[in-house]
Amino acid sequence: MVELSLRDRPAIVTGASRGIGREIAARFAEAGGDAAICSRSLDDVRPVAEELTAAHDGRVVPVECDVTDRDEVRSLVDTALDEFGEVKVLVNNAGGSDESANVAHRCDEETFERMVDLNLKSQFLLSKEVLPAMVAAGGGSMVHMGSVNGLFGIGLSGYSEAKSGLLAMSRNIAAHYGQHGVRSNVISAGTIETASRREEMENTEGRSDSNAREGWLDQYPLGRFGTPREVADTSLFLASELSSFITGENVVLDGGLTTSLSTSFINEVYDADEVPSRR
């Protein structure tokens, strides 16, 4: 039986000092995996590595890395190889959005380029740098953090375009390097309730709608947002041998957001909130 384990599957996890990336690093360490984790500040990521290494079987190594810088990306991969001898898993988690660029006419060229660099180019740089090592190790798994913003028109110009491009990049990697044992998949997440995301939704100052959170929740059939742990569990599955025949796929982790219109609209039109009974 194949275990949900990362023993003997050294990993690189980017953007791991907080939020989703930190939870992924923790989940990997719990599963016995060694990992090189990075953020732009060593002071931010070092305490995370020390805490996880002390608490779990997996060894976690902190690295300072700007994932948009090719030389720093190369140094990150070199560090992982020096520490672990090989790289079998890459989680391209680092990214971010600029909320002010919510529609195209408010997104200037500089912001657009910055969003593409952070959310697409950086993933390309990491993937390209890891590929030779992963092939040399006999294969492995790449997990790229996408977004539902890349699947349908929801806003955030630049960010959304980059996340959509990530799907094509991942499929090309899957198609070209599957013959060498490399798998590549995307996780397209909906709203994940990290501390920063919660603060953003609760900060209604200057908004006409003081029930922003309720308005967001109405778009989710499950009636809640996702958690960093749920993203981490999905990442662990895709990184492990339990998903050994899955590649080139987009795993949509969105509580049903992309399945339909708002819950209130569905209830109004179809009385879907009626509790079913056996007849």
Side-chain angles (χ1 to χ4, degrees), residues 66-86:
D66 177 352
V67 293
T68 66
D69 185 296
R70 181 177 59 185
D71 292 336
E72 292 194 24
V73 164
R74 186 174 184 84
S75 180
L76 168 63
V77 176
D78 285 343
T79 299
L81 291 173
D82 289 343
E83 292 287 341
F84 309 129
E86 61 182 5

Side-chain angles (χ1 to χ4, degrees), residues 219-249:
Q219 310 303 312
Y220 287 82
L222 290 185
R224 67 174 180 85
F225 302 128
T227 67
R229 181 71 174 195
E230 288 171 319
V231 182
D233 285 342
T234 306
S235 300
L236 175 59
F237 170 70
L238 290 174
S240 77
E241 283 300 298
L242 279 180
S243 61
S244 58
F245 203 52
I246 299 176
T247 192
E249 292 300 322

Side-chain angles (χ1 to χ4, degrees), residues 49 86 100 134:
E86 61 182 5
S100 66
M134 196 171 280

Side-chain angles (χ1 to χ4, degrees), residues 188-210:
S188 288
T191 301
I192 304 300
E193 196 159 7
T194 60
S196 59
R197 191 61 168 155
R198 187 182 308 114
E199 180 181 351
E200 176 191 337
M201 287 185 292
E202 291 174 353
N203 181 15
T204 58
E205 184 178 355
R207 296 182 186 177
S208 59
D209 180 12
S210 61

Side-chain angles (χ1 to χ4, degrees), residues 15-228:
S17 64
R18 58 189 175 90
I20 292 171
R22 188 190 190 285
E23 194 66 33
I24 292 171
R27 191 70 182 91
F28 282 17
E30 289 174 16
D34 297 326
I37 65 173
C38 77
S39 74
R40 284 176 293 181
S41 168
L42 188 60
D43 289 339
D44 288 342
V45 77
R46 183 189 286 120
V48 176
E50 292 173 350
E51 177 186 339
L52 297 181
T53 297
H56 305 293
D57 292 339
R59 186 163 62 96
V60 182
V61 176
V63 183
E64 181 173 285
C65 179
D66 177 352
V67 293
T68 66
D69 185 296
R70 181 177 59 185
D71 292 336
E72 292 194 24
V73 164
R74 186 174 184 84
S75 180
L76 168 63
V77 176
D78 285 343
T79 299
L81 291 173
D82 289 343
E83 292 287 341
F84 309 129
E86 61 182 5
V87 175
K88 300 282 285 185
V89 175
L90 168 64
V91 179
N92 268 322
N93 170 71
S97 64
D98 188 324
E99 298 294 327
S100 66
N102 48 15
V103 293
H105 72 270
R106 285 194 285 267
C107 182
D108 57 44
E109 184 177 354
E110 180 182 354
T111 301
F112 185 89
E113 290 179 349
R114 180 163 49 86
M115 289 296 95
V116 172
D117 282 351
L118 182 58
N119 295 288
L120 179 57
K121 180 182 176 181
S122 66
Q123 283 83 343
F124 168 76
L125 292 176
L126 257 299
S127 301
K128 182 178 180 180
E129 194 63 45
V130 165
L131 269 168
M134 196 171 280
V135 171
S141 175
M142 295 186 183
V143 181
H144 315 283
M145 206 55 60
S147 170
V148 292
N149 287 68
L151 304 181
F152 70 124
I154 195 173
L156 299 181
S157 191
Y159 173 82
S160 299
E161 286 86 329
K163 291 300 188 182
S164 183
L166 194 60
L167 297 171
M169 187 197 82
S170 179
R171 289 175 183 137
N172 277 333
I173 291 172
H176 300 160
Y177 302 100
Q179 61 191 313
H180 301 295
V182 175
R183 298 187 292 113
S184 179
N185 294 287
V186 173
I187 297 175
S188 288
T191 301
I192 304 300
E193 196 159 7
T194 60
S196 59
R197 191 61 168 155
R198 187 182 308 114
E199 180 181 351
E200 176 191 337
M201 287 185 292
E202 291 174 353
N203 181 15
T204 58
E205 184 178 355
R207 296 182 186 177
S208 59
D209 180 12
S210 61
N211 297 314
R213 182 183 179 85
E214 286 70 21
W216 276 99
L217 282 171
D218 189 43
Q219 310 303 312
Y220 287 82
L222 290 185
R224 67 174 180 85
F225 302 128
T227 67

